[in-house]
Amino acid sequence: MDDLLQAALQPQALITLMVLALAIVLFITGWLAPEVTGLLVAGLLMATGVLKPAEALEGFGSPALLTVLGLFALSAGLFRSGGLDRLRGMIGSDSVRTPKRMIVLLTTLVAPVSAFVPNTPIVASLLPVVEGWCHRRGISPSKVLLPLSFATVLGGTLTLIGSSVNLLASEVSSKLGYGAFDLFSFTPIGIGVWLVGSLVMVLLSDRFLPDRGSDDRDLARSFSSSGYLTEVMIPARSELVGKSLHGTRLQRRFDVDVLEIHRNAERFTPPLADRSLLEGDRLVLRCTRDDLLRLQQDHTIVLAPVPESEEAELASQSLANLRMVEVLLPAGSTLAGESLRDLRFRQRYNTTVLALRRGNEVLRERLGRATLREGDVLLLQGPQDAIRGLQANNDLVVLEQIEDDLPTVSRKGIAMVIAVLVIVLPTLKLLPLVAAVLLGTVAMVATGCLRTGELLRSIRLDVILLLGSLGSFSVALEKTGLAEAMAKSLLIGLKNWPIFWALAGVFLFTTLLTEVMSNAATVAMVIPIAAKVAIGLGLPPMAFIFTVLFGASQSFLSPVGYQTNLMVFGPGRYRFLDVARYGFPLTVVMTLLVPWLVCRQFGI
């Protein structure tokens, strides 16, 4: 303790402690965004002379950061090309009839995928699919959404690229001289965590997951606020012909709600699940913009059909020249109060209305008959010249041009091959991981699986700023001698402990810390100390580093501990303690399991 006090009283060490204390307060209170707090820490450490600019900012040029950047692009290419559509179809399948079976499916399928694809886009993509399944089954989303988040957390520790925190831990370990991780360095531990964690999640689901019910009105409001009304037609040779909605993949793979079926002069309203579909049927759908764009590429339907007299003209237009745009009907628009059919909208503006969105109101009319109102948002498709002409129109306000809008589902196979090569080449030691990821990103763009604009939009700037700035944490702790002094103090308390319980203590401390602050910050702060403790105990530093890594990743106690927990918190209508109730037994199991697996892997 005297050594720690003596080290802490050194000027630079004292400054470092004050800066870190400030950072912890900001992380816990949320007064500043985590990435802004990271930049503040790096700036203060440079301004006070604790670190040189090159030392504080070297994280922004690290291989780990470039790997994370490339992984965002690769995952965007996979999702855009439809590479994970089969997963969405399986998750939304009506053959899954109970929450427990859904949880088994999530832990079996989603967790392994999250070992290679960042978990945030996985949850974002599957969240509406799981909600739709709950709605069709009359099951409360609270019975399955938290396991969706936990499944991605478990899967994220299967490989190095499963989480940005893994890559940061590898970078910190490398800087401290303990070596970087390989792609599958901790996979044996991760597999045990995944299998046991999945079993515990399934066993706990009946008694520990709350039933918060579901409010159809809330569901409708949440859906319509981001959903469009659109109309599709079932063409000849469509796989939907002769099948019912219940037996098709339309509502399983896409986040759509079928409002009506029109067959010649007949009009069918819900319930529609068991009604057989025929060629020429028109379906009135409500769906999100992303799924709307995906539906346009699906050969089972024709999106936004137009009268026969206009079909030839529309077909003759070059698809390469077509663009999409969102437009708003402003206050005072002369179009308000008229229907699209009465306005002869296509002839007037040389654009096709693909869909209409109206605030929180649920529309149940056919698209052409819908009466326009001020505030409506239309999704239009037309030639580039026609889109430009809209910008000078007082009745419509251009909100956003969706550049190169149509998803590239025809390149699904190419995207899958690129993703597999990115994993296989580093595994066979033919390429460094960062090189494989960067080359894979370029290949996604070069083959048309991903466009340049989408590449830039896919990058999570908040994650990049946070990871790049947090490297200064570990550098400052090491440079000022605080890491070694803290480790010596811990050694006094741990020297008589069995190795297993020492690892369990480190794991539990890390887990509790990551519940109240960024897991990336936890890794950057704790790894230097834990590695010194390992050396003091005569144990492999990597054993303690792996323990910290898994402790920072196993966030099961609060909705704010991990981003995916927060993503499902609102849709699941959870209360704060619901997460802890389901996650506490899982945390206890992990506190005992991870140290045991670490001991087995390192033979200690």
Side-chain angles (χ1 to χ4, degrees):
M1 200 66 183
D2 291 338
D3 291 338
L4 177 59
L5 185 60
Q6 185 177 357
L9 291 177
Q10 298 299 317
Q12 289 193 333
L14 188 59
I15 293 172
T16 301
L17 285 176
M18 293 173 63
V19 172
L20 294 184
L22 173 64
I24 291 172
V25 170
L26 293 176
F27 278 127
I28 293 175
T29 60
W31 290 342
L32 289 179
E35 62 274 16
V36 178
T37 300
L39 293 175
L40 175 64
V41 168
L44 289 176
L45 290 175
M46 286 187 289
T48 55
V50 175
L51 296 179
K52 298 177 181 178
E55 293 173 328
L57 301 177
E58 63 180 342
F60 286 101
S62 68
L65 195 71
L66 294 176
T67 303
V68 172
L69 188 147
L71 287 174
F72 283 134
L74 288 172
S75 63
L78 278 174
F79 279 105
R80 180 177 173 82
S81 65
L84 297 179
D85 273 1
R86 186 173 295 276
L87 174 65
R88 294 182 61 173
M90 295 174 70
I91 295 298
S93 173
D94 286 329
S95 62
V96 183
R97 301 181 183 277
T98 64
K100 182 167 287 189
R101 289 187 180 182
M102 173 59 76
I103 295 171
V104 171
L105 194 64
L106 292 174
T107 56
T108 304
L109 297 179
V110 175
V113 171
S114 64
F116 303 100
V117 180
N119 47 24
T120 301
I122 291 179
V123 172
S125 175
L126 294 182
L127 183 58
V129 177
V130 176
E131 283 186 294
W133 176 86
C134 292
H135 181 55
R136 294 194 302 274
R137 286 282 169 194
I139 294 172
S140 171
S142 62
K143 300 296 290 185
V144 291
L145 287 185
L146 199 54
L148 168 64
S149 174
F150 284 9
T152 63
V153 172
L154 292 175
T157 53
L158 285 170
T159 70
L160 176 62
I161 61 176
S163 169
S164 58
V165 175
N166 302 348
L167 290 161
L168 176 63
S170 177
E171 184 70 19
V172 172
S173 176
S174 178
K175 285 180 181 178
L176 297 177
Y178 305 117
F181 307 157
D182 291 330
L183 185 58
F184 297 105
S185 289
F186 46 81
T187 299
I189 303 173
I191 290 176
V193 167
W194 166 43
L195 294 177
V196 175
S198 299
L199 178 62
V200 172
M201 284 172 58
V202 173
L203 295 177
L204 294 178
S205 60
D206 288 336
R207 295 190 59 185
F208 289 86
L209 279 174
D211 186 345
R212 296 297 176 206
S214 59
D215 189 330
D216 290 341
R217 291 173 299 175
D218 286 347
L219 181 64
R221 281 197 295 269
S222 65
F223 197 103
S224 62
S225 64
S226 61
Y228 280 96
L229 173 78
T230 190
E231 190 176 332
V232 300
M233 184 177 70
I234 301 177
R237 297 183 296 277
S238 168
E239 64 181 58
L240 300 180
V241 174
K243 296 183 180 178
S244 66
L245 284 173
H246 184 275
T248 69
R249 65 191 180 100
L250 187 64
Q251 289 183 294
R252 296 199 305 267
R253 288 182 61 178
F254 300 100
D255 183 19
V256 303
D257 192 7
V258 180
L259 303 177
E260 290 182 356
I261 299 176
H262 292 263
R263 181 176 299 156
N264 298 323
E266 293 184 276
R267 173 175 174 260
F268 303 105
T269 57
L272 301 169
D274 296 323
R275 186 171 295 279
S276 296
L277 301 175
L278 302 178
E279 176 187 344
D281 282 354
R282 294 190 176 220
L283 312 181
V284 178
L285 307 179
R286 190 171 62 243
C287 62
T288 63
R289 190 184 77 181
D290 289 342
D291 278 331
L292 179 61
L293 301 182
R294 290 295 308 278
L295 284 169
Q296 191 169 16
Q297 288 287 297
D298 198 297
H299 300 299
T300 60
I301 60 171
V302 176
L303 185 63
V306 295
E308 291 183 3
S309 61
E310 298 177 6
E311 285 182 356
E313 177 187 353
L314 183 62
S316 66
Q317 293 179 343
S318 170
L319 287 176
N321 186 45
L322 292 179
R323 295 291 183 269
M324 282 190 185
V325 66
E326 282 183 325
V327 298
L328 170 74
L329 263 71
S333 172
T334 61
L335 305 183
E338 301 286 344
S339 69
L340 294 171
R341 174 178 295 179
D342 293 339
L343 288 170
R344 297 182 63 82
F345 194 94
R346 171 160 173 73
Q347 290 87 342
R348 178 182 292 195
Y349 297 108
N350 193 27
T351 58
T352 301
V353 179
L354 299 182
L356 182 152
R357 187 180 76 215
R358 177 174 298 161
N360 292 330
E361 184 177 345
V362 179
L363 299 173
R364 292 188 176 272
E365 305 139 300
R366 292 184 63 175
L367 190 59
R369 297 173 182 170
T371 301
L372 299 179
R373 296 182 185 174
E374 296 176 355
D376 284 352
V377 177
L378 302 177
L379 186 65
L380 308 181
Q381 183 179 50
Q384 182 68 50
D385 291 341
I387 298 298
R388 290 196 187 101
L390 293 175
Q391 295 175 343
N393 192 294
N394 294 326
D395 290 321
L396 297 169
V397 176
V398 176
L399 299 178
E400 176 188 7
Q401 182 164 334
I402 308 168
E403 191 174 355
D404 296 321
D405 36 74
L406 297 183
T408 52
V409 293
S410 61
R411 295 177 175 84
K412 181 189 302 184
I414 298 174
M416 295 294 289
V417 169
I418 292 172
V420 170
L421 288 175
V422 167
I423 297 168
V424 170
L425 292 178
T427 303
L428 298 177
K429 306 295 185 182
L430 298 177
L431 278 179
L433 177 61
V434 63
V437 170
L438 293 180
L439 290 175
T441 300
V442 174
M444 283 285 189
V445 176
T447 57
C449 298
L450 193 67
R451 297 180 174 90
T452 304
E454 297 163 343
L455 167 64
L456 298 176
R457 288 192 295 270
S458 70
I459 296 172
R460 288 280 306 278
L461 187 60
D462 58 334
V463 175
I464 299 300
L465 292 176
L466 181 63
L467 295 183
S469 59
L470 286 182
S472 60
F473 271 174
S474 54
V475 175
L477 287 172
E478 190 74 15
K479 183 177 179 180
T480 59
L482 284 171
E484 185 170 357
M486 291 177 181
K488 287 180 179 179
S489 297
L490 283 175
L491 278 172
I492 297 174
L494 296 177
K495 64 180 179 180
N496 295 323
W497 286 29
I499 296 173
F500 172 85
W501 291 110
L503 289 170
V506 171
F507 178 91
L508 185 59
F509 171 76
T510 307
T511 296
L512 295 177
L513 190 59
T514 199
E515 295 296 343
V516 295
M517 58 185 286
S518 163
N519 51 4
T522 301
V523 161
M525 292 174 61
V526 178
I527 280 182
I529 301 169
K532 296 285 187 183
V533 170
I535 294 174
L537 293 173
L539 299 173
M542 199 61 74
F544 276 69
I545 291 174
F546 280 3
T547 303
V548 172
L549 168 63
F550 278 86
S553 300
Q554 310 301 308
S555 179
F556 304 122
L557 294 177
S558 78
V560 297
Y562 209 82
Q563 184 162 350
T564 55
N565 292 354
L566 202 56
M567 291 173 68
V568 302
F569 189 75
R573 306 177 71 194
Y574 293 111
R575 298 170 186 168
F576 193 90
L577 291 180
D578 289 340
V579 182
R581 182 185 178 195
Y582 186 55
F584 178 75
L586 193 57
T587 300
V588 172
V589 170
M590 291 302 161
T591 302
L592 300 175
L593 176 67
V594 170
W596 183 78
L597 291 172
V598 170
C599 290
R600 291 290 299 271
Q601 175 155 336
F602 289 92
I604 55 179

